[in-house]
Amino acid sequence: MLELQIQMRNPKVPPVEYWEQVAICESSKDGYTADWHDRGRWSGGLGIYIGTWVRWGGRQFAPTPYQATKAEQMVV
């Protein structure tokens, strides 16, 4: 969570609300609610490809995006 707080201080980083809207587009089954624990090759609320997760250091948080918290997915 500290990493997210540090990143959010950067004015070039989109706010949390932006990422929540992206997650609705990527993982929602009803068009209103993100599924932050969606499974598959494109997983988590943000639909992060497992190869991208690995390359960008996601495994420091969890083996796959769907196993990471919402904040951890946003950091990666």
Side-chain angles (χ1 to χ4, degrees), residues 31-59:
Y32 301 99
T33 309
D35 180 0
W36 289 94
H37 299 288
D38 188 30
R39 298 174 184 214
R41 279 185 24 185
W42 301 87
S43 73
L46 300 174
I48 302 169
Y49 179 66
I50 190 65
T52 302
W53 181 255
V54 172
R55 266 191 303 284
W56 284 88
R59 289 209 170 141

Side-chain angles (χ1 to χ4, degrees), residues 4-58:
L4 180 60
Q5 291 171 343
I6 291 168
Q7 286 186 23
M8 296 310 289
R9 289 189 196 123
N10 181 340
K12 294 181 182 180
V13 173
V16 169
E17 294 78 20
Y18 168 83
W19 294 112
E20 289 172 342
Q21 291 299 312
V22 169
I24 289 171
C25 291
E26 294 294 330
S27 66
S28 177
K29 294 179 181 39
D30 63 8
Y32 301 99
T33 309
D35 180 0
W36 289 94
H37 299 288
D38 188 30
R39 298 174 184 214
R41 279 185 24 185
W42 301 87
S43 73
L46 300 174
I48 302 169
Y49 179 66
I50 190 65
T52 302
W53 181 255
V54 172
R55 266 191 303 284
W56 284 88

Side-chain angles (χ1 to χ4, degrees), residues 36-37 53 61-62 65-74:
W36 289 94
H37 299 288
W53 181 255
F61 300 116
Y66 82 85
Q67 294 171 305
T69 66
K70 175 178 163 179
E72 291 166 346
Q73 291 178 46
M74 285 188 262

